[in-house]
Each structure stands twice: as structure tokens, then as C-alpha cells.
Amino acid sequence: MTRNSSGHIRLTSHSSGGRPNNFPITWGAPTARERGPVIGSIGGSADRNVIGAHGGAYSIYRALAVSAGALKAGMRPDLKDTDPIVPVGPHPQWVGKEKIVSLDPWGHRITEDFREEIERGVDIRPTIAITKARLTLPEVREAIAAGRLQQDGTIVRDNAEVAVIKAAIEPVWYLPGVAERFGVKESTLRRTLFEQTGGMYPELVTRRDLQVFLPPIGGMTLYIFGDPAAIHDPGRRLTCRIHDECNGSDVFGSDICTCRPYLTHGIEECIREAQAGGAGLIVYNRKEGRALGEVTKFLVYNARKRQPGGDQASTYFARTECVAGVQDARFQQLMPDVLYWLGITRINRLVSMSNMKYDALVAAGISVDTRVPIPPGLIPQDANVEMEAKKAAGYFATDEVPRDPAEVVGRDLKDY
């Protein structure tokens, strides 16, 4: 691989290959076997039918473990007793090439759908795992002490632990569908992905027969509160928060944004919905710093705070664009895919003020009854700059939320 005088990457050599002999993928087929398994493991070149490797960015750590002698290169996982703790799907949205393009809807069922192939030695790996857990959050304890939540013994245990079902999902991109979702040619998408990753994946431009890509990015985690069957039951209510990662706030409690307060408020609302007979859902996406990364985010923080007059709402997005070249790279077009995977067609209460998320859901045919804003008492003082900037930019919903705050959260906000 070389660069020409203009600095563009040129592919100098790569085996052009051909269509995988053993397991062609027919994306959007009505059954797993008709669709074919997603195989990104390194063993069996005739079996591999995707670009990239399982685990996304974690495949690099796997390579380190192999190079250090801590892991055998050909190690295959023993998948006994790893099946999902609860079933998900199939749902009608799984069929067709246009609905789900950024994850494998069959990715949690491989030991069920491809047991025969696995037993004869084909290295097929799950891209989705579903388990149970309990959450312990100080905000939940505070809500119980304030009388906003009750310990029902099922969803909220006597020790204030919250019972949840959680799913981890790795990204699996069907490139023709991703390109169509963004309104670009597949060839343009492939070439840009190849160039902007420094030529890491030459198959993007040499293997047009491979249409599935396992990108080296973080995936998402789902937290389901209450009966998982209620998630896709239109006769039962669903409260949902779709949250994009903010490590500084979510984990370490940084007060420059509203991320953790809004996340824990969403969890509280999800618990309350589940206790009322519906279900709650938190979708946690790894899109740190508006998908610009944490280094870029911290650079922007410095630029904002050092400008004349200090941090200001009027220059909030301008400083981000000066550093990153774009205000926001999350681009929510792919976000509804996970809701399709769960069979969701309607969200009764969306705990979000983001027009980007709302517009993406509506464009995907998922109806939203009410958008729930963050209660004013939960907004940290230093986060007011962010809130004012987003309001001024039309980032937030201002008229779709109920006028009466008590209607939003079902209680007087002075309790906060």
C-alpha cells in the first residue's frame, strides 16, 4: 500500500479472492439457515464470509494475547450453556434487507440454528449475548428513600437491587443496507471506510462479493426492566431511553453535562413503567463524545473554557466543529435497528429531548407518544451551557413534551 502525491491511499496488492464457497450470506432471509451464519473467525478461509473479525476493537487485544503466548491462535470457544437466558424473536422486522443493517438479528441463536455446523468444527461465534443481572445504583436508593420508587420484591428487591435482563450486541454491518440508509453509493461507502481507516481493510475495495463488515468499533448494551415480552407487545406500555456513552459523566460523575443524571432518570422511569405492568428499556451505545472520541471531547473542553469570556452557549458547537470538523458524528440513522431486533413498533415514553433520535425513530416507522425531558433539578450547574446551546441550536424538543411537569414524571418535581 502506498500514497500518491496527493496523499491518497492506493491499494498495491491484495488477493482478489472470490465468493465464499461454504457459507454465502443472503441478508434479510426469513430464517437463520437461509440467511447463513456470520463467520469472522480466522480458521477455515473457505468459511469466512465477512470483512473484519469478531470482537471489533477487542480483536486487537486477542492478537496481543496470541503474540504473548497466552492464547492459542486457533482457540475456539466452548459455547455450552451460553445460550440466551430469555428468547428474543424472531420478529417480522428481521425479514428483508432494509430494516436491520447494522447488527445480526440471528446473532444470539447460533448454537440453536447452527448446532450441526458447530459440532462438525465450523467456528461460528455469537455476536449477541443475553443474560440476567442486578443493578445497584445510589440514585435508585435515593428514589426509594424519597418515595418515588417502591421495593416490590421482584423488579426492585428488598436490598434496593434492580433485576434486569441485559444484552450485549456487537456491530455487524450489511454494507449495501448501510449505504442505502445514508443515501450514498455502496462503492463510495467502501472506498471511504478503506481510506479513513488508513487502508486497514483492503477487502472493502477488493472483495465486492463480501457484503458484511465487522467494524472495529464498540457495540451496545441493552437493559430490560420487567417482562421482556412486554417490550414488543403493543398492548403494554414501554418507556425507553436511548443513551450514547459519556464515560466522564456516566462513570465518574463529571458535572459539565447531563449524561449520568439523564441516564439514571431514565432508569428510574423504566423501573416505574415495569412496576406498572409495562416494560422499560435502556439502550446504551458506545459513541463516546458524540462518536468523536474522548480525546477530541477533552480538547473541545479546553478550547471552550479558554476562549475570551469563558465557556459560552453561543460558541458551544462552533468550538466542537473547529476541533473535530463536525458538530456531531453519531448520525442516528442506524440506531432504530436494535428496536427492530426487539420487535418494537411503538414507544409510549421516550426519555430523551433529542430531535436527532426522535426523527430517526419516526423515520423508521416507530411511533413515539411522549418525549420526557430531564427534570430541571437534575441539571448540574456547569451543564447549563450545554443545555442552552442545544436549545438554541434546535437540538432539543421544546413543544412535544407535556406542558405540566407532573404529567411528565408522575410527581411534583420539587421532590428532586
Side-chain angles (χ1 to χ4, degrees), residues 294-304 306 319 323:
E294 200 165 39
V295 169
T296 296
K297 181 166 71 170
F298 287 8
L299 294 174
V300 171
Y301 285 169
N302 288 344
R304 282 168 47 192
R306 286 172 173 164
R319 297 310 298 147
V323 175

Side-chain angles (χ1 to χ4, degrees), residues 106-369:
W106 306 95
H108 57 303
R109 293 169 43 110
I110 66 120
T111 56
E112 174 183 350
D113 294 325
F114 298 105
R115 186 179 305 278
E116 177 183 325
E117 286 80 2
I118 292 172
E119 288 178 350
R120 72 168 188 257
V122 181
D123 192 357
I124 307 173
R125 305 190 182 192
T127 58
I128 301 175
I130 306 171
T131 189
K132 288 184 178 180
R134 295 185 186 181
L135 306 183
T136 302
L137 295 169
E139 289 87 351
V140 170
R141 293 186 182 277
E142 292 167 6
I144 292 170
R148 300 194 306 269
L149 286 178
Q150 304 298 319
Q151 298 181 99
D152 60 295
T154 302
I155 296 169
V156 181
R157 307 299 173 90
D158 293 341
N159 56 3
E161 290 182 342
V162 182
V164 296
I165 294 167
K166 61 182 183 180
I169 302 176
E170 293 179 355
V172 177
W173 288 6
Y174 174 61
L175 291 171
V178 173
E180 183 176 353
R181 191 77 61 87
F182 282 88
V184 300
K185 293 181 179 180
E186 183 187 346
S187 59
T188 300
L189 174 66
R190 284 175 173 266
R191 185 181 68 252
T192 305
L193 286 170
F194 170 69
E195 292 175 348
Q196 292 299 313
T197 56
M200 287 170 57
Y201 296 95
E203 296 93 341
L204 286 166
V205 292
T206 62
R207 292 294 304 273
R208 298 303 175 91
D209 57 302
L210 297 179
Q211 296 185 318
V212 176
F213 178 41
L214 306 183
I217 59 176
M220 70 183 77
T221 309
L222 311 183
Y223 291 86
I224 298 172
F225 301 80
D227 181 2
I231 289 280
H232 56 85
D233 184 348
R236 300 168 74 178
R237 291 176 57 82
L238 173 63
T239 289
C240 176
R241 172 155 179 80
I242 299 163
H243 188 92
D244 294 328
E245 179 183 27
C246 177
N247 184 65
S249 178
D250 296 342
V251 178
F252 294 101
S254 171
D255 65 353
I256 199 171
C257 62
T258 60
C259 295
R260 181 180 174 93
Y262 218 158
L263 174 61
T264 57
H265 175 58
I267 290 173
E268 183 175 333
E269 294 300 306
C270 285
I271 292 171
R272 184 174 296 103
E273 193 73 85
Q275 290 180 324
L281 172 66
I282 300 290
V283 179
Y284 193 90
N285 292 296
R286 267 69 184 193
K287 295 180 180 179
E288 178 64 64
R290 301 196 195 108
L292 300 170
E294 200 165 39
V295 169
T296 296
K297 181 166 71 170
F298 287 8
L299 294 174
V300 171
Y301 285 169
N302 288 344
R304 282 168 47 192
K305 293 175 181 179
R306 286 172 173 164
Q307 63 189 340
D311 200 4
Q312 304 165 45
S314 59
T315 57
Y316 178 90
F317 285 112
R319 297 310 298 147
T320 301
E321 196 162 355
C322 285
V323 175
V326 65
Q327 294 181 5
D328 195 322
R330 286 175 291 181
F331 305 117
Q332 302 290 348
Q333 289 94 323
L334 299 178
M335 176 267 292
D337 286 16
V338 68
L339 304 182
Y340 285 146
W341 177 64
L342 291 168
I344 292 171
T345 57
R346 179 176 184 174
I347 297 172
N348 299 98
R349 304 178 72 241
L350 178 65
V351 187
S352 172
M353 296 164 67
S354 167
N355 282 331
M356 291 176 65
K357 294 174 184 176
Y358 174 82
D359 291 345
L361 291 170
V362 173
I366 298 172
S367 63
V368 177
D369 293 345

